[in-house]
Amino acid sequence: MKAKVSWGTAGLLLGLIAALTLPSLAQTSSPSPGTGSDRSVTVTGSATIRSAPDEAVVTLGVQTQAPAAQGAMQQNASGMNDVMKAILGDGVKPADIATAWVNLYPNYDSDGTAIVSYSAQNQVDVTVRDLSEIGSIIDDAVGAGANLSSGIQFQLSDQNQGVERALNEAVANARAKAESLASAGDASLGSVVTITEGSAPQYPPVPFAADAGGAASTPISPPTLETQVTVTVVWALV
C-alpha cells in the first residue's frame, strides 16, 4: 500500500511540472506583436520610355468598280500591279510588302433590292525602313493608280529598345514610394521579397493620316513613341 501511495504522489508531481512547462514553451515560440517577419510593404513603380521611330508601315491600295464582279476584280488586279511596280521601283524589298486585305462587295440601287455594280478593293502594308522615303513612296503609288490608304503606323524595329533602363527607373520609383510609406509607418525598408514586372512593354504603332494628293511631295513628320514599364516590388519592413 505504501508503494502505491508513493507512485501516485510522483505522478502528481510530474503532471504539475508538465502543466507549468507547456504554456511556457508555447509563449516563447510566438513572435511579439509588431516585430514579426511578416510585415511588408507592396508598391508599384513606373517609368516611361520615349523613342523616335525608325520604321513605318504604310497601307496603300486600289479600289475599282464595274457592272460585273469579275470585271471589278480584273480592273483591280491591273491597277494593283501598277502600284506594286511603283513601290518596288522606289527600292522597297518584296519581303516588306504584305497583302492587308482583298475585298469584293455588291452595290445596290436606291431601293436596296437590285445589284447595280460591284466594288473591289486590294490593299498592301508596305514597311518603309527609311522614313525620309515615305512621302515619295506615297506619291509614286498614287501616281500609279493607288486611291486607297489606311494611313501610316510608325514603330520601332527593336521593340526592347530602352527597356532595361526603364526597368531600373521603375524600381527606383517604387523604392521612393516604399520609403515614404515605411517612414509614415515608423519602420524602415528591409530586403526585397519579390519583384514582378508588369505587362511586357510594347510600343503601340501610332496611326498617322497622310494626304496623298497635291503636286508637292507628301510631308511626313514622325511622332515620338511612348510606352510605360511597371514593376511591383515587395519589401520586408524592419
Side-chain angles (χ1 to χ4, degrees), residues 44-135:
T44 297
S46 63
T48 300
I49 305 173
R50 295 178 177 84
S51 303
D54 61 357
E55 66 180 25
V57 177
V58 183
T59 305
L60 296 165
V62 175
Q63 176 174 296
T64 54
Q65 185 173 323
Q70 185 176 7
M73 290 298 292
Q74 288 176 344
Q75 291 180 26
N76 191 276
S78 176
M80 199 62 200
N81 284 332
D82 292 339
V83 171
M84 294 281 284
K85 289 178 182 178
I87 295 173
L88 292 170
D90 284 332
V92 177
K93 296 179 180 180
D96 288 332
I97 303 175
T99 299
W101 75 73
V102 176
N103 194 16
L104 175 67
Y105 59 89
N107 301 309
Y108 293 87
D109 60 13
S110 56
D111 295 332
T113 56
I115 297 175
V116 296
S117 64
Y118 288 85
S119 292
Q121 296 178 342
N122 189 343
Q123 291 204 71
V124 292
D125 290 334
V126 183
T127 301
V128 182
R129 305 187 187 279
D130 183 352
L131 299 187
S132 66
E133 297 293 326
I134 296 177

Side-chain angles (χ1 to χ4, degrees), residues 110-199:
S110 56
D111 295 332
T113 56
I115 297 175
V116 296
S117 64
Y118 288 85
S119 292
Q121 296 178 342
N122 189 343
Q123 291 204 71
V124 292
D125 290 334
V126 183
T127 301
V128 182
R129 305 187 187 279
D130 183 352
L131 299 187
S132 66
E133 297 293 326
I134 296 177
S136 61
I137 290 174
I138 293 175
D139 294 339
D140 292 344
V142 171
N147 56 7
L148 280 180
S149 176
S150 296
I152 307 171
Q153 291 184 325
F154 291 98
Q155 58 191 25
L156 290 174
S157 56
D158 180 8
Q159 296 294 328
N160 292 320
Q161 180 177 325
V163 171
E164 184 176 348
R165 172 178 53 82
L167 287 173
N168 288 331
E169 293 178 359
V171 172
N173 177 250
R175 174 178 285 277
K177 294 179 181 178
E179 288 175 344
S180 296
L181 290 172
S183 178
D186 196 22
S188 300
L189 293 185
S191 59
V192 173
V193 179
T194 61
I195 301 179
T196 305
E197 183 183 359
S199 57

Side-chain angles (χ1 to χ4, degrees), residues 1-42:
M1 180 64 68
K2 289 182 180 179
K4 292 182 178 179
V5 172
S6 298
W7 178 254
T9 302
L12 178 60
L13 291 173
L14 288 174
L16 289 174
I17 292 172
L20 291 173
T21 303
L22 290 176
S24 176
L25 290 174
Q27 290 173 4
T28 56
S29 63
S30 299
S32 300
T35 61
S37 60
D38 60 338
R39 296 202 312 163
S40 63
V41 60
T42 303

Side-chain angles (χ1 to χ4, degrees), residues 195-229:
I195 301 179
T196 305
E197 183 183 359
S199 57
Q202 296 290 332
Y203 290 90
V206 178
F208 187 88
D211 182 7
S217 178
T218 301
I220 302 296
S221 180
T224 297
L225 303 181
E226 294 188 358
T227 189
Q228 192 174 73
V229 173

